[in-house]
Amino acid sequence: SKGECNRSQNDETKYRYIKISFVDSLNLLNLSLEKLTKEFNIEIQKGKFPHTFVNKNNLNYIGNKPDFNFYENISIEEYNSISQNNWDLKSECLNYLNKDIKGLFEVMNEFSRLLYIHFNIQMTESLTITRLALNIFKKNYYLNQSIPFINKIYLFNFIKEAYFGGITEIYKPYGRDLIYIDINSLYPYAALNPMPGTDCYFIESFDDKGLDIENLFGFFYAKVKTNNLYIGLLPVHKDNRLICPNGEFYGIWSSEELKFAKSNGYEITVIKGYQFNKAYGIFNDYINELFNLKKNSNGFLKLIYKSLLNNFLGRFGLNLIKPITQTVSKERRDYIFSTRNVHSHTILNENNFLITYTPTISKEICLQHGLDIIKVLEKESKLNIENNLDLFKDVSIATAAMITSYARIYINKFKLDILNKGGSIYYSDTDSLVLDKQHFDPNWIGDNIGQFKLEYNIKEAYFISNKTYCLILNNNETIIKTKGVINNSLTTDQFKSMYLNKKNTTATKFNTISNFEKASVIIEKKEVVLNYDSYTKREKIFNNQGIWINTKPLIYNNITTTK
């Protein structure tokens, strides 16, 4: 009818412009789809597909099912349940993708529903789990408005020097009869301490004594002289590594970390920095409630509470200046590479490149490329680029840096206690320790925030490098961790060979090759070499047979003495 025709035309005009945004669900739920569908009790379960079996010559394959070795993370029972004959590659692929899409939709739909029910918030307002957690905090828990959301670049850059990431250390590379323990929610626990408030001012000392460290709270540039402790107490960036050295050096740290180092024998002279007021209990309600909800739940609810708790605080440590993603010409790309920090670089075609970069000029990168920083800044000022930076309005580098410093203090207290009682530490990560069993205190174990949980009873262990180790447990189970490679591509014998025979070994990793011109992605396995001697963050100590048995802090001196 005429009326129906007009309504159709009106509807077409009304909905002519529809915006559809594609976002990465992995940034909200950082787990495999297989685990998510199981945890959320989704009826549609992710299937199994032999990705490495596929190549350009067999896309129309129909026949016997591929060999077991072509499948990843599949049990022999699951493999045997797959039909042996008339296995159709195209059909199996479409079925696998169909389950992926429907399963992910059901997961995200359920996740969105639960967020609204429990926190009265929409999932679609956030692109990442950190933003989602911050939105929940600001809407339901942020009452005293005392977080210093720093938006001054000079202040951000100063405090950023005191913001250190996680530290992994190998103290002894081989051990027997060990315990692996892990702290319950270390960073949230550290955030229960007093935090920097919104009052901030600069102070400086002009005499040799320096500022009175006991009356300071904030971030300060200081001269440090260590006392040769077995573990270093103050982190330093050197040669793209984070080390905890002995020696004499300058740096910027939190006042609390400087106080802790001084209480353990370091000589500290505080020269200048930014003093903050103390703000109490900013995060207590959020952290305590989320931790208790996680502790008293299971399944998908436990997964949600854990994600919102553990991913919350990292948001405050984002770079103040938002990165820029642009498609640029080759000439512009080369100029950006020579003046700025580039985070990602993708070749679109011969003359166009997709890059993500920090828009501010980097003095270090300019120097590396032989450019005059003054001339570069003059050129940029004419383009008016630096005056139009897009800044995050809700990041707080002061909060992030203070939390991580409290976390280091907390775990270092346990390390010192173990050593003072004659014990040995073999390996440590940001929130975990491996120590000899006889100096393990069972009273450390508990399910409260800040207590330890027992991860493994270890019969024998080999620690080769950061996050690269092999544990043989008391029940003869083997735990192999290797950063960046497929763990089951390595064996215990390979770790023994790296340690005892000083031989490099090979491992397998997945390598992804993206071709934007052809709109294709190739996933293949690639052999990589693991260097037996790659750990360089502490000085190695060898026995008479040349076997690495212990370590000690590197010596670092950056204080120049003048006559």
Side-chain angles (χ1 to χ4, degrees), residues 201-430:
Y201 58 91
F202 180 80
I203 54 176
E204 185 172 5
S205 172
F206 295 98
D207 59 48
D208 294 338
K209 292 182 180 179
L211 299 169
D212 181 8
I213 192 173
E214 300 305 324
N215 293 318
L216 299 179
F217 187 75
F219 304 92
F220 297 91
Y221 179 69
K223 176 183 176 182
V224 172
K225 183 178 180 180
T226 72
N227 61 341
N228 297 315
L229 282 177
Y230 179 72
I231 61 169
L233 299 180
L234 293 175
V236 171
H237 286 292
K238 186 178 186 298
D239 300 331
N240 296 318
R241 297 173 300 166
L242 190 58
I243 63 173
C244 295
N246 277 323
E248 297 183 52
F249 43 88
Y250 291 101
I252 300 173
W253 299 273
S254 78
S255 56
E256 307 313 281
E257 208 158 7
L258 289 171
K259 291 174 188 175
F260 178 68
K262 183 180 179 182
S263 69
N264 284 282
Y266 279 33
E267 294 180 21
I268 307 290
T269 305
V270 181
I271 300 168
K272 57 186 176 182
Y274 290 92
Q275 176 82 346
F276 287 80
N277 68 304
K278 289 184 178 180
Y280 295 90
I282 296 176
F283 303 115
N284 289 25
D285 289 344
Y286 179 90
I287 289 171
N288 287 329
E289 183 168 341
L290 265 292
F291 184 84
N292 287 328
L293 286 170
K294 182 193 79 167
K295 179 179 174 182
N296 297 310
S297 61
N298 50 51
F300 54 86
L301 281 177
K302 189 181 189 73
L303 181 68
I304 291 174
Y305 297 139
K306 182 178 179 180
S307 294
L308 293 174
L309 179 66
N310 292 345
N311 291 286
F312 166 52
L313 299 166
R315 170 76 192 184
F316 295 108
L318 285 181
N319 197 320
L320 174 64
I321 302 165
K322 293 183 180 180
I324 293 174
T325 299
Q326 286 180 331
T327 300
V328 297
S329 65
K330 185 178 187 300
E331 181 182 1
R332 177 64 179 163
R333 179 205 65 173
D334 293 344
Y335 176 71
I336 290 171
F337 262 101
S338 63
T339 55
R340 294 165 169 86
N341 286 303
V342 176
H343 306 295
S344 67
H345 169 252
T346 301
I347 301 172
L348 299 178
N349 53 47
E350 185 177 347
N351 296 310
N352 290 285
F353 305 85
L354 182 68
I355 62 172
T356 300
Y357 64 95
T358 301
T360 48
I361 303 299
S362 168
K363 179 180 178 181
E364 292 76 14
I365 292 177
C366 286
L367 291 173
Q368 290 173 12
H369 289 84
L371 299 179
D372 186 328
I373 181 68
I374 302 301
K375 291 182 179 180
V376 172
L377 290 173
E378 287 176 353
K379 178 180 178 179
E380 295 289 334
S381 65
K382 293 176 183 177
L383 297 174
N384 203 32
I385 292 176
E386 299 296 338
N387 296 325
N388 293 283
L389 298 176
D390 194 6
L391 304 178
F392 282 109
K393 305 300 182 184
D394 53 7
V395 299
S396 178
I397 192 68
T399 300
M402 190 61 75
I403 290 171
T404 54
S405 70
Y406 278 131
R408 286 189 297 276
I409 291 169
Y410 186 69
I411 197 167
N412 279 338
K413 285 181 179 179
F414 284 96
K415 291 181 183 180
L416 291 174
D417 182 56
I418 293 166
L419 296 172
N420 290 336
K421 292 178 179 177
S424 293
I425 308 168
Y426 290 79
Y427 180 85
S428 74
D429 209 331
T430 304

Side-chain angles (χ1 to χ4, degrees), residues 2 92 144 225 227 256 297 326 365 385 439 498 501 521 531 558:
K2 183 177 180 180
E92 292 291 335
N144 55 14
K225 183 178 180 180
N227 61 341
E256 307 313 281
S297 61
Q326 286 180 331
I365 292 177
I385 292 176
H439 288 92
M498 282 191 285
N501 302 327
V521 177
N531 184 352
N558 73 341

Side-chain angles (χ1 to χ4, degrees), residues 162-207:
Y163 182 39
F164 303 96
I167 300 176
T168 305
E169 298 279 29
I170 296 175
Y171 298 102
K172 294 187 175 184
Y174 173 77
R176 298 181 65 87
D177 202 19
L178 310 178
I179 288 285
Y180 191 122
I181 53 177
D182 188 85
I183 300 172
N184 297 324
S185 301
L186 174 59
Y187 282 156
Y189 178 71
L192 299 176
N193 286 287
M195 290 287 116
T198 54
D199 296 335
C200 172
Y201 58 91
F202 180 80
I203 54 176
E204 185 172 5
S205 172
F206 295 98
D207 59 48

Side-chain angles (χ1 to χ4, degrees), residues 12 85 118 167 184 255 468:
E12 183 180 348
N85 301 318
H118 292 276
I167 300 176
N184 297 324
S255 56
T468 301

Side-chain angles (χ1 to χ4, degrees), residues 33 37-38 41-47 98-104 106-107:
L33 183 56
T37 52
K38 290 179 180 178
N41 295 320
I42 303 301
E43 184 176 343
I44 301 171
Q45 295 291 310
K46 182 178 176 67
N98 186 280
K99 287 183 177 180
D100 263 20
I101 293 169
K102 290 182 178 179
L104 180 59
E106 294 295 336
V107 166

